Amino acid sequence: MSDAQDEVFCCDTLKSVVAELPEPVAPTIYRADNGVMMMVVGLAQTEEGLGYLDHAILHCPFCGTKLQDAKAIAEKVSH
Ligand SMILES: [Zn+2]
């Protein structure tokens, strides 16, 4: 992790939620390897183990700041 990660945090609340995750509890909000802020919205048991259903965060759930552009995310995420 580098200091550059702080750039995505618009407010202290979001930053604390991401930073103060208890281990080994799965993060509910995290930053993916491609730089997209993601939020886990559900868990699913699959044959390959516990699966996470996550969704990119477009706006901060705490202060409403626009964090990411849907188009930019679509370009980063490929399925
Ligand atoms: Zn915020």
Side-chain angles (χ1 to χ4, degrees):
M1 295 300 173
S2 67
D3 293 340
Q5 186 167 4
D6 289 342
E7 294 174 6
V8 301
F9 301 120
C10 51
C11 58
D12 289 342
T13 305
L14 179 62
K15 186 173 182 177
S16 66
V17 166
V18 175
E20 297 176 7
L21 289 170
E23 295 289 348
V25 174
T28 53
I29 299 177
Y30 66 97
R31 194 177 188 201
D33 291 339
N34 58 15
V36 178
M37 287 285 284
M38 304 292 290
M39 175 170 58
V40 177
V41 295
L43 300 174
Q45 192 69 46
T46 70
E47 293 179 355
E48 297 177 353
L50 193 62
Y52 298 92
L53 175 63
D54 47 24
H55 195 276
I57 300 174
L58 299 184
H59 296 83
C60 175
F62 307 111
C63 72
T65 298
K66 183 175 182 180
L67 296 172
Q68 304 177 111
D69 184 81
K71 279 186 178 179
I73 292 173
E75 291 172 359
K76 292 179 182 178
V77 180
S78 59
H79 290 286

